[in-house]
């Protein structure tokens, strides 16, 4: 790989740095110069616009002064005050004097196309050249009538193309008053031919030009006639903004972007007529000197950059000429020749480096000599260490084998102890289960005793209830028997009622027979006999129904008595069975109480046995723990022995390696020439 020289690298870096600095400087100079040019052009264009506006304002002021003079001319005042109508317009005694005054003004001012007056009372218009308005002329209908009355002074109309003269003209008007009364209007129509010459007098640069606009924004003057009498706003959006500012009477400077060019435009109002002027200058022309200067400065900067880089390159080459000499000496030192020294007669930094390197070489030579002696001693010591390490490793091997044998015996003891511990643990678990089951049986026995006692008490209560039921059933049977007997008595009573009803019926029949025999006097008795007969029949029927009910009650009573007798028999049997159950529950309660006592004694014995087994398990666990601790201690001893063996092996390996490195160091040092 080809190395680049320091002089080239520094020259390249310096070239880039200087180029950046010069570029930034050029940009700053360009911006500063451009700003100065812009400020200067703003000042010049503002002054130029004000000068043009002042000249145009002077033009309108002069023409307005002419109209002001006419409004105070006595011949004009007398004429307008004395005319009565259109017929009197040219015949009025004051017409000649008035017309002479108008003609004089026109002759003295070439820019005036016509001077005329309009009469308020006569409703006509007359002017220079004996001009008289037509008969259908209406003064108040003219488009400027209201504006001139509202102006309260001079009024300047918008420019327009006159059909008679074929030119663009405008009018300056003013209301005429006599004794505070408006009598008419005085006006002068002006040619605008002199305005272009005024505008052309003021020009900035080679491509600059002026623009004159009316109050409505239409262009009155422009170097290009195609823009005349057209709105300035039609030229583009920026021109539209400029037109609005000019119509508002503002002044200032504005940058406008055209289709192919950019412009600076200074604008100023013409206050007397409400018009506005603008001066336009191409920005390319403004900044042409700046562009030329920028090119020249860039060329100068490039030449300066090249000269600085070349000068720096050759200076660096001269300053670094001793570096190849130092490089040759360093290469020989790298090959092992430490007798070489650098000889440079220089008081700069390179001379200082050469002296420091020579001192370093002296110290390195001394160091190499010391290393050679130490390397020989290290080689001899390494050989002795190898022998000692081998002997120690053999002794450690014997210790490791003994520890392994002891560790094997302890492992067997641990295995036997673990088996015994497992068996005892299973026995302990079994005894614990038996103890738990016996406790459960004892608890269940106690519950059974309580249940047996409760059952015995329930049986005794049931036996008492059965006896009570037996007594109640027996009493109920006696009551129902008495009810049957009384039902029989009621039947006998019903039979007696039936017999009485039959006899009553028979008596009623006999009474009816006797009544029929008695004739008319027995009719009432016959009615009574019939009623008694009906009552006897109803009583007999009711008695029959009662007898039927009595018979049904007797049947039900006999069935109830029979059922109660059977119930009494069953209650007696149930009472006997409950008594037998009570005796059985008493016997069961005694047996369960004895079993519960035996189970409690058995559970206590099992718990004592389980406690003994747990104690045995604890003893075996302690033995197993001690065996495990002994095994871990022997394992640690074995591990330490193995580590010691490995360490001895590493020491032996390191000793051999150290011996080899000492030999290699001796070989390496022997290459140096001291």
């Amino acid at each position: 790989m080809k190395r680049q020289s320091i002089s080239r690298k520094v020259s390249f870096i310096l070239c880039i740095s200087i180029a950046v600095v010069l570029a930034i400087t050029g940009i700053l100079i360009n911006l500063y110069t451009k700003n100065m040019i812009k400020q200067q052009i703003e000042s010049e264009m503002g002054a130029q616009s004000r000068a043009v506006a002042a000249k145009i304002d002077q033009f309108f002021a002069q023409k307005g002064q002419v109209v002001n003079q006419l409004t105070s001319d006595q011949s004009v005042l007398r004429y307008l005050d004395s005319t009565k109508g259109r017929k009197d317009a040219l015949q009025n005694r004051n017409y000649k004097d008035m017309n002479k005054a108008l003609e004089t003004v026109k002759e003295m001012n070439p820019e005036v196309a016509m001077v005329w007056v309009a009469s308020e009372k006569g409703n006509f218009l007359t002017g220079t050249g004996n001009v008289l308005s037509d008969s259908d002329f209406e003064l108040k209908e003219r488009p400027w009538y209201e504006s001139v009355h509202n102006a309260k002074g001079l009024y300047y109309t918008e420019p327009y193309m006159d059909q008679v003269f074929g030119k663009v003209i405008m009018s300056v008007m003013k209301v005429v008053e006599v004794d505070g009364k408006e009598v008419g209007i005085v006006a002068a129509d002006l040619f605008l031919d002199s305005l272009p010459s005024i505008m052309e007098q003021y020009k900035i640069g080679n491509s600059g030009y002026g623009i004159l606009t009316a109050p409505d924004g239409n262009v009155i003057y422009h170097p290009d006639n195609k823009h005349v009498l057209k709105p300035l706003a039609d030229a583009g959006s920026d021109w539209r903004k400029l037109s609005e500012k000019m119509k508002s009477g503002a002044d200032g400077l504005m940058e406008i972007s055209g289709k192919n060019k950019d412009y600076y435009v200074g604008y100023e109002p013409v206050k007397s007529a409400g018009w506005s002027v603008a001066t336009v200058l191409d920005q390319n022309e403004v900044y042409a000197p700046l562009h030329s200067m920028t090119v020249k400065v860039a060329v100068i900067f490039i030449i300066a950059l090249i000269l600085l880089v070349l000068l720096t390159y050759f200076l660096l080459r001269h300053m670094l000429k001793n570096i190849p000499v130092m490089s040759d000496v360093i290469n020989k030192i790298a090959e092992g020749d430490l007798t070489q020294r650098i000889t440079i007669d220089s008081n700069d930094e390179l001379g200082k480096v050469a002296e420091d390197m020579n001192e370093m070489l002296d110290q390195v030579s001394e160091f190499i000599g010391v290393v050679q002696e130490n390397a020989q001693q290290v080689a001899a010591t390494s050989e002795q260490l190898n022998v000692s390490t081998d002997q120690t490793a053999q002794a450690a091997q014997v210790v490791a084998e003994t520890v392994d044998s002891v560790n094997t015996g302890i492992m067997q003891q641990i295995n036997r102890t673990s088996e015994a511990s497992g068996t005892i643990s299973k026995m302990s678990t079994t005894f614990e289960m038996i103890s738990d089951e016996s406790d459960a049986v004892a608890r269940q026995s106690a519950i059974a005793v309580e249940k047996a006692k409760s059952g015995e008490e329930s049986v005794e209560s049931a036996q008492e209830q059965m006896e009570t039921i037996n007594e109640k059933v027996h009493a109920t049977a006696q009551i129902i028997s008495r009810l049957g007997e009384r039902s029989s008595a009621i039947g006998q009573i019903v039979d007696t009622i039936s017999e009485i009803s039959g006899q009553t019926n028979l008596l009623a029949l006999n009474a009816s027979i006797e009544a029929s025999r008695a004739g008319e006097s027995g009719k009432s008795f016959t009615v009574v006999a019939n009623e008694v007969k009906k009552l006897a029949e109803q009583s007999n029927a009711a008695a029959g129904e009662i007898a039927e009910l009595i018979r049904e009650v007797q049947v039900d009573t006999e069935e109830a008595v029979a059922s109660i007798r059977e119930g009494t028999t069953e209650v007696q049997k149930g009472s006997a069975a409950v008594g037998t159950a009570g005796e059985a529950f008493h016997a069961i309660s005694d047996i369960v109480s004895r079993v519960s006592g035996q189970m409690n004694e058995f559970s206590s014995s099992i718990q004592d046995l389980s406690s003994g087994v747990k104690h045995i398990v604890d003893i075996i666990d302690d033995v197993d723990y001690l065996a495990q601790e002994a095994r871990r201690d022997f394992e640690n001893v074995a591990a330490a022995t193995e580590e010691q063996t490995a360490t001895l092996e590493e020491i032996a390996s390191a000793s051999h390696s150290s011996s080899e490195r000492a030999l290699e160091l001796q070989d390496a040092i022997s290459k140096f020439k001291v």
Side-chain angles (χ1 to χ4, degrees):
M1 178 177 168
K2 185 177 180 180
R3 298 181 182 274
Q4 295 182 354
S5 64
I6 296 176
S7 57
R8 290 182 181 178
K9 290 182 179 180
V10 174
S11 300
F12 178 74
I13 295 172
L14 184 63
C15 177
I16 295 176
S17 302
I18 294 174
V20 171
V21 171
L22 292 178
I24 294 173
T25 304
I27 292 172
L28 294 176
I29 292 173
N30 183 275
L31 293 176
Y32 177 74
T33 306
K34 185 176 182 180
N35 187 49
M36 289 183 60
I37 293 174
K38 183 178 179 181
Q39 292 177 357
Q40 182 179 359
I41 202 67
E42 287 178 356
S43 177
E44 291 181 1
M45 293 191 72
Q48 190 81 330
S49 299
R50 287 190 292 272
V52 176
K55 192 68 176 179
I56 300 297
D57 190 66
Q58 182 182 1
F59 171 80
F60 287 121
Q62 289 176 355
K63 306 313 174 200
Q65 186 176 3
V66 170
V67 175
N68 282 327
Q69 291 175 356
L70 288 174
T71 57
S72 60
D73 189 280
Q74 293 299 319
S75 61
V76 174
L77 296 176
R78 287 193 297 271
Y79 176 78
L80 292 175
D81 187 43
S82 61
T83 52
K84 305 298 183 182
R86 183 176 181 280
K87 294 180 180 179
D88 187 37
L90 300 180
Q91 304 299 326
N92 189 284
R93 64 180 182 275
N94 296 312
Y95 173 74
K96 291 183 179 179
D97 295 336
M98 184 275 301
N99 189 52
K100 183 179 179 181
L102 297 183
E103 292 289 352
T104 301
V105 170
K106 181 178 180 301
E107 290 175 359
M108 294 178 64
N109 295 278
E111 295 89 359
V112 176
M114 185 176 72
V115 183
W116 51 269
V117 297
S119 174
E120 288 280 353
K121 293 187 294 182
N123 191 29
F124 66 86
L125 183 152
T126 183
T128 55
N130 296 323
V131 173
L132 181 64
S133 59
D134 296 334
S135 58
D136 59 352
F137 177 81
E138 289 292 338
L139 178 62
K140 294 183 179 180
E141 293 181 358
R142 307 310 294 174
W144 37 260
Y145 181 81
E146 293 293 336
S147 299
V148 70
H149 279 79
N150 294 332
K152 296 181 181 181
L154 293 173
Y155 171 69
Y156 295 84
T157 65
E158 299 289 341
Y160 59 92
M161 179 63 71
D162 187 79
Q163 301 297 327
V164 177
F165 297 103
K167 295 181 179 181
V168 177
I169 65 174
M170 65 172 293
S171 301
V172 183
M173 306 177 182
K174 187 176 182 181
V175 175
V176 179
E177 296 181 355
V178 177
D179 298 331
K181 181 181 179 182
E182 296 180 356
V183 295
I185 297 173
V186 175
D189 294 338
L190 305 177
F191 290 121
L192 302 180
D193 296 343
S194 60
L195 292 180
S197 61
I198 296 174
M199 297 295 295
E200 291 171 357
Q201 291 176 6
Y202 298 91
K203 185 177 181 181
I204 299 177
N206 298 323
S207 61
Y209 59 89
I211 299 175
L212 180 64
T213 61
D216 60 357
N218 288 335
V219 177
I220 303 303
Y221 170 77
H222 193 284
D224 190 352
N225 290 328
K226 68 179 181 180
H227 296 294
V228 176
L229 294 182
K230 292 182 180 180
L232 180 63
D234 293 346
S237 59
D238 289 346
W239 293 101
R240 187 179 299 108
K241 295 177 183 177
L242 175 64
S243 176
E244 295 297 327
K245 292 181 179 180
M246 294 175 71
K247 287 194 294 184
S248 66
D251 59 352
L253 182 71
M254 184 175 176
E255 294 185 25
I256 292 181
S257 298
K259 293 182 179 180
N260 300 318
K261 296 181 180 180
D262 295 332
Y263 302 93
Y264 282 122
V265 179
Y267 51 95
E268 188 77 20
V270 179
K271 297 181 180 180
S272 60
W275 290 25
S276 185
V277 297
T279 54
V280 183
L281 183 61
D282 188 354
Q283 290 188 12
N284 291 329
E285 182 179 351
V286 173
Y287 295 117
L290 177 63
H291 297 329
S292 176
M293 185 192 73
T294 302
V295 173
K296 293 178 181 178
V297 170
V299 172
I300 293 171
F301 281 178
I302 292 172
I303 294 172
L305 175 63
I306 294 172
L307 292 175
L308 286 172
V309 171
L310 291 175
L311 179 62
T312 302
Y313 176 74
F314 289 112
L315 285 174
L316 287 173
R317 287 197 62 180
H318 176 72
M319 294 170 63
L320 301 175
K321 62 182 180 179
N322 292 323
I323 290 180
V325 177
M326 295 176 64
S327 179
D328 294 337
V329 174
I330 291 171
N331 288 331
K332 293 179 180 179
I333 293 171
E335 294 174 356
D337 187 1
L338 299 181
T339 60
Q340 295 289 327
R341 295 294 182 269
I342 301 173
T343 56
I344 294 178
D345 295 331
S346 176
N347 294 325
D348 56 8
E349 288 80 0
L350 290 178
K352 178 62 176 173
V353 170
E355 292 178 0
D356 293 340
M357 286 193 66
N358 290 333
E359 292 179 2
M360 181 190 70
L361 289 172
D362 294 337
Q363 294 178 1
V364 169
S365 298
E366 294 178 1
F367 175 74
I368 292 296
V370 174
V371 169
Q372 287 177 345
E373 294 178 0
N374 291 333
Q376 293 175 357
Q377 294 178 2
V378 168
T381 303
S382 297
E383 291 296 333
Q384 295 176 359
L385 181 61
N386 288 336
V387 176
S388 299
T389 303
D390 292 337
Q391 293 176 356
T392 304
Q394 292 175 0
Q397 184 66 29
V398 173
V399 173
E401 292 175 356
T402 303
V403 170
D404 289 338
S405 177
V406 173
N407 192 28
T408 301
I410 291 174
M411 286 297 296
Q412 292 176 356
Q413 180 183 355
I414 290 172
N415 292 333
R416 295 298 183 184
T417 305
S418 298
E419 292 176 1
S421 177
T423 303
I424 297 300
S425 296
K426 291 180 180 178
M427 289 176 65
S428 176
T429 303
T430 304
F431 277 117
E432 288 178 357
M433 293 174 62
I434 294 172
S435 177
D436 293 339
E437 294 296 334
S438 63
D439 289 340
V441 171
R443 288 192 296 271
Q444 295 298 325
S445 298
I447 294 171
V449 170
E450 293 177 359
K451 296 295 184 181
K453 290 180 180 180
S454 177
E456 185 178 1
E457 292 174 356
S458 298
V459 169
E460 290 176 355
S461 177
Q463 189 173 6
E464 292 175 357
Q465 293 294 327
M466 291 298 290
E467 291 176 356
T468 302
I469 292 170
N470 189 16
E471 292 174 357
K472 297 295 183 180
V473 170
H474 183 67
T476 303
Q478 291 177 356
I479 292 170
I480 292 175
S481 296
R482 287 195 299 273
L483 181 61
E485 292 174 357
R486 291 178 181 178
S487 297
S488 298
I490 293 171
Q492 292 175 1
I493 294 170
V494 171
D495 291 340
T496 302
I497 293 171
S498 297
E499 290 176 0
I500 294 170
S501 296
Q503 292 176 3
T504 302
N505 191 16
L506 183 58
L507 289 174
L509 180 59
N510 291 330
S512 297
I513 294 171
E514 291 297 330
S516 62
R517 290 178 181 176
E520 291 295 328
S521 59
K523 286 183 180 180
S524 58
F525 188 75
T526 302
V527 173
V528 173
N530 289 333
E531 293 298 324
V532 171
K533 183 180 179 180
K534 290 180 181 179
L535 181 61
E537 289 177 353
Q538 292 175 354
S539 299
N540 191 20
E545 292 177 357
I546 292 171
E548 182 64 27
L549 291 173
I550 292 299
R551 283 193 295 273
E552 292 178 356
V553 169
Q554 288 176 346
V555 171
D556 293 336
T557 301
E558 290 174 356
E559 291 178 356
V561 170
S563 177
I564 287 171
R565 287 173 181 172
E566 293 177 357
T568 301
T569 303
E570 294 298 327
V571 167
Q572 291 174 354
K573 292 179 181 180
S575 179
V578 169
T580 304
E583 294 174 357
F585 268 107
H586 182 70
I588 291 170
S589 178
D590 293 338
I591 294 169
V592 170
S593 296
R594 290 195 297 273
V595 171
S596 178
Q598 293 173 357
M599 286 305 299
N600 287 330
E601 294 176 358
F602 178 72
S603 177
S604 178
S605 299
I606 290 298
Q607 289 177 354
D608 293 340
L609 184 59
S610 178
S611 298
V613 171
K614 287 183 178 179
H615 184 63
I616 294 171
V617 170
D618 292 338
I619 293 172
I620 292 175
D621 288 340
D622 291 340
V623 173
D624 183 66
Y625 175 75
L626 294 174
Q628 292 287 349
E629 287 292 326
R631 181 182 63 82
R632 282 193 290 271
D633 292 339
F634 276 104
E635 286 180 350
N636 292 333
V637 172
T641 303
E642 291 178 356
E643 290 178 358
Q644 183 179 7
T645 303
T647 303
L648 290 173
E649 290 177 354
E650 291 177 357
I651 292 172
S653 177
S655 178
H656 289 295
S657 177
S658 177
S659 179
E660 293 175 356
R661 294 293 180 271
L663 295 175
E664 292 176 357
L665 180 61
Q666 288 179 345
D667 293 338
I669 293 173
S670 63
K671 296 178 181 179
F672 288 98
K673 184 179 180 182
V674 181

